[in-house]
Amino acid sequence: LGPTVCVGEILVEIVATTVGNGFMEAQPLVGPFASGAPAIFISQCGRLGGSAAMIGAVGTDDFGRVNLERLKGDGVDISAISIDPDYPTGSAFVRYREDGSRDFVYNIATSAAARFGWSEGVSNLIDRAGHLHVMGSALSVSSACEVIDKAVDIVKTRGGTLSVDPNIRKELKLDEATERRFARLVAVADLLLPSGEELERAAGVEGETNAIRRLFEIGVKEIVLKRGADGATYYSREGERIDAPAFIVAEIDPTGAGDCFGGAYLTCRRLGMPAADALTYAAAAGARNVTVVGPMEGAGTREQLDAFIATTERRS
Ligand code: ATP
């Protein structure tokens, strides 16, 4: 079984330490933190001891080094991350509002994160990949789409597996070509990891039960629906349903919970764990990550998650 490979944006994130609206006044910030939803996902896979590799790009700047060092330290194969001599590493600034919602300032489109393509390193990695994970957010970058399309074909044709996290914000309008690409991806996904309304959007029908039924008809084998502090629910094509209650924690920074949850779930499954046990590790990874500032600062190793599970209560 070859490595789990994730393709997409690698960014640094800088977080406002004050709560308020937008960035209109000077304020204290913390960071840079290694970030980008696909990078968070693969970091969690690596920390849990899974064989993991990343495809994406950073600049030659310090922000790029923050990411490369972090991923390498987590055991992630970074040989297919390109280093762009002309463009800076992508960045995201985030500030939380009183109601918990977030304001973002992104620099992705004009950064290295949006400029990687198919290369020899990518080709070598995809030729031995056992699993590919794709995030909807990566589909807004056309160069990433080219890599994803080709990688999905190669991995699936060879009998490898695919997971998809729609990771699409409701307010984000996708163009028709991206919608079609997203639908094609869902149709060949083995595992789908949606949260909230993404489930219905992926299925193209309304209502949770209808959406689940439709997705299994399309060919998806497993669905894990993430519900934030309300936990998660697993559905299998064979009709099994498992509810995974959330752990009780004080939420400090919700960014990255879904990516850590997904990375932990997938890694545990690929290491041979039954769904129920993988869900426990996933719920622990998501919960642990919201207790610290920074999008992947709380991603846990197996020992850290075991300790967290042993000492933290779950909702009933
Ligand atoms: P994001 O896009 O911010 O990464 P998401 O919407 O994809 O997140 P969530 O449903 O927010 O995913 O979180 C994934 C999982 O992490 C949840 O199913 C839950 O198990 C855990 N989790 C998230 N937030 C909390 C919380 N406040 N308390 C406990 N567990 C949480």
Side-chain angles (χ1 to χ4, degrees), residues 98-299:
E98 293 285 355
D99 65 3
S101 64
R102 294 170 271 191
D103 287 307
F104 282 101
V105 174
Y106 282 116
N107 167 27
I108 300 179
T110 53
S111 77
R115 291 173 38 87
F116 63 95
W118 195 261
S119 66
E120 207 182 316
V122 169
S123 181
N124 289 340
L125 176 60
I126 291 300
D127 278 345
R128 57 190 176 84
H131 183 94
L132 188 68
H133 180 73
V134 177
M135 299 253 169
S137 55
L139 301 183
S140 57
V141 172
S142 60
S143 53
C145 289
E146 286 165 30
V147 175
I148 289 166
D149 285 354
K150 219 163 153 177
V152 168
D153 272 356
I154 295 172
V155 172
K156 289 291 287 189
T157 305
R158 231 197 18 252
T161 44
L162 172 72
S163 51
V164 175
D165 181 337
N167 199 29
I168 290 173
R169 295 220 167 72
K170 209 178 79 197
E171 56 276 29
L172 190 74
K173 270 224 170 306
L174 298 181
D175 61 31
E176 262 181 46
T178 311
E179 287 279 8
R180 277 200 302 275
R181 182 171 267 114
F182 178 60
R184 277 205 309 275
L185 268 180
V186 169
V188 292
D190 298 278
L191 165 66
L192 200 64
L193 291 155
S195 67
E197 287 135 2
E198 292 168 354
L199 175 75
E200 295 176 16
R201 187 152 174 185
V205 294
E206 282 181 22
E208 189 171 317
T209 314
N210 292 338
I212 298 285
R213 190 183 309 123
R214 177 83 193 108
L215 288 164
F216 286 141
E217 280 166 10
I218 293 172
V220 177
K221 296 186 184 73
E222 283 185 13
I223 300 167
V224 184
L225 178 61
K226 298 170 283 178
R227 308 178 200 269
D230 292 328
T233 309
Y234 162 92
Y235 297 92
S236 79
R237 202 172 180 177
E238 292 72 35
E240 195 182 356
R241 173 188 167 136
I242 305 171
D243 287 306
F247 286 90
I248 301 171
V249 292
E251 184 180 286
I252 308 282
D253 182 351
T255 302
D259 311 319
C260 286
F261 179 100
Y265 179 78
L266 181 81
T267 301
C268 290
R269 292 294 271 160
R270 291 206 73 212
L271 291 171
M273 258 187 222
D277 296 342
L279 285 168
T280 299
Y281 278 103
R288 190 175 186 277
N289 196 54
V290 305
T291 62
V292 288
V293 175
M296 54 165 112
E297 298 313 297

